Amino acid sequence: MPSEHAKIQVRPGTEGDLEALTDLYNHYVRETAVTFDTALFTPEERRPWLLSHPEDGPYRLMVATGADPRRILGYVTSGPFRAKPAYATSVETTVYVAPDAGRRGIGTLLYGALFEALAGEDLHRAYAGIAQPNEASTRLHERLGFRHVGTYREVGRKFGRWWDVAWYEKPL
């Protein structure tokens, strides 16, 4: 019997994914404190974000699809950690999995593909900020070799309350 992972494909994101990616992200904007964005996006507003992740280089976008290649089960990105030139060998990563995708290891598959794609790049560290509490994301990042380096207390306010963000790093 084929494994559940065999049915999931991970590939670079394309402009054809823009609407599905926007819908997935908007779910997290609307329903969670996972992102500190508070206003929903249109696909056109998200286009610059998508285009900032080419198929090569240190800033990537990978998507997971299942039997229907148009349905996005999740995505992972690497992007600039900070704008100043000395940070160029560091990236900030993020992963989003569709809430109805189930517990199929999609986050692990996405991160695996991302780190494989980044292996030839001149990168030294990956960073991830995780709004707390978020046990599932914390476990995922720790399982993938990220380690906790600090927490910003009450750094964001959404849904009428303050949220902490725990920061994790991983050598690349």
Side-chain angles (χ1 to χ4, degrees):
M1 179 164 95
S3 75
E4 194 69 25
H5 284 199
K7 298 175 187 174
I8 299 171
Q9 300 295 313
V10 178
R11 60 169 174 74
T14 67
E15 283 202 59
D17 300 321
L18 184 58
E19 188 168 334
L21 289 167
T22 303
D23 289 344
L24 176 54
Y25 188 70
N26 280 340
H27 162 79
Y28 284 95
V29 171
R30 185 178 50 254
E31 304 292 332
T32 76
V34 168
T35 175
F36 286 175
D37 278 317
T38 58
L40 300 178
F41 289 87
T42 66
E44 207 50 46
E45 290 169 329
R46 287 287 280 175
R47 185 176 307 283
W49 165 83
L50 184 134
L51 295 176
S52 72
H53 296 91
E55 281 196 44
D56 59 0
Y59 309 140
R60 306 285 181 105
L61 164 63
M62 309 296 288
V63 299
T65 61
D68 178 355
R70 296 166 300 181
R71 180 167 180 265
I72 303 296
L73 301 175
Y75 71 90
V76 66
T77 64
S78 59
F81 177 67
R82 297 285 184 266
K84 296 181 179 176
Y87 289 117
T89 60
S90 298
V91 291
E92 186 173 344
T93 63
T94 191
V95 64
Y96 290 92
V97 176
D100 61 347
R103 299 178 61 93
R104 303 187 328 190
I106 293 168
T108 301
L109 286 173
L110 284 163
Y111 259 129
L114 176 67
F115 293 140
E116 183 178 321
L118 295 177
E121 300 297 331
D122 181 23
L123 294 173
H124 186 63
R125 289 274 193 275
Y127 294 91
I130 304 171
Q132 297 296 304
N134 190 334
E135 291 180 31
S137 187
T138 297
R139 280 193 312 273
L140 170 66
H141 286 84
E142 288 176 346
R143 195 171 54 250
L144 293 170
F146 284 83
R147 69 178 185 84
H148 183 254
V149 293
T151 300
Y152 293 157
R153 302 284 177 204
E154 297 182 351
V155 69
R157 188 170 64 188
K158 187 172 180 181
F159 303 136
R161 70 168 273 202
W162 294 101
W163 300 90
D164 296 346
V165 174
W167 281 93
Y168 288 77
E169 74 175 1
K170 174 184 175 65
L172 296 176

